[in-house]
Every structure is written in C-alpha cells, then in structure tokens.
Amino acid sequence: DRWYPVSAPQPCSVPMAVPTIVSENNMDIYPNPANNQITITSDKHNITGVEIYNMLGERVYASLNLPHILATTIAIAPLNNGVYLLKIATGDNATSRKLVIQK
C-alpha cells in the first residue's frame, strides 16, 4: 500500500534447531523438484523421522516415528509451490536438504 520501495523482512529469519549434521550420509531425495510425493532413500543410516519447514521457519509436515527404514515416500500434495527445508533424522543425528515443490 505504498508507492515507493520499502525493505522487506528476510525469509527464514527464525533460527531452526537442527541436531548434528551427518555429512557422510548419502541420501537421495527424488524427484526434486517434486509435485505430489517425494521418496527419500539412505544407503547407510536408517531414517527415523522427516520434517519439512517453509522459508519462514514454520514446520509444515512432520513424521517423527518412522520404523528405522532405509527408504520412505511422503505425500506433499497439500503443500504449495515453493522452496522448503527437508530435515531427515537418522537416530541421534539429522541432515538437511533443500526441497523444491512445483505443481
């Protein structure tokens, strides 16, 4: 409602608590960009939980009690187009990946 440019707040300004990042864990997320569902696979560590955060730092999806599996499929159809942070828990550790949703 202004006729001149103004500064906008930075996205994802809310700090997110993420446990130790596991860099040696080879995880695949596909398809990425995605539209209806994604599949997450790990070749070393069992996946115990998955969370998805929007760019404002709000959690928009959580599945925290997975049965220690090496692959899981997640329905993301309810989420809007955009860029998200995907947090994948593997026991006491976690790794983060960028997820793009395009419908």
Side-chain angles (χ1 to χ4, degrees):
D1 57 326
R2 294 192 172 102
W3 293 97
Y4 53 90
V6 295
S7 296
Q10 293 293 326
C12 202
S13 60
V14 177
M16 292 181 274
V18 177
T20 306
I21 301 298
V22 178
S23 60
E24 72 275 359
N25 191 359
N26 187 14
M27 295 235 176
D28 290 320
I29 295 122
Y30 58 91
N32 194 6
N35 56 21
N36 290 321
Q37 68 181 18
I38 58 171
T39 300
I40 304 167
T41 61
S42 173
D43 65 350
K44 292 183 181 179
H45 302 283
N46 288 328
I47 300 167
T48 59
V50 175
E51 296 175 90
I52 300 175
Y53 293 86
N54 64 19
M55 286 291 105
L56 297 176
E58 301 166 327
R59 187 169 68 181
V60 295
Y61 175 87
S63 180
L64 302 175
N65 295 316
L66 295 175
H68 300 268
I69 52 179
L70 291 175
T72 186
T73 300
I74 298 170
I76 57 168
L79 299 177
N80 295 323
N81 288 347
V83 178
Y84 294 84
L85 174 70
L86 182 63
K87 179 179 152 187
I88 305 159
T90 55
D92 293 334
N93 298 310
T95 187
S96 299
R97 298 284 197 274
K98 180 174 80 170
L99 172 65
V100 177
I101 298 177
Q102 292 178 336
K103 298 180 183 182

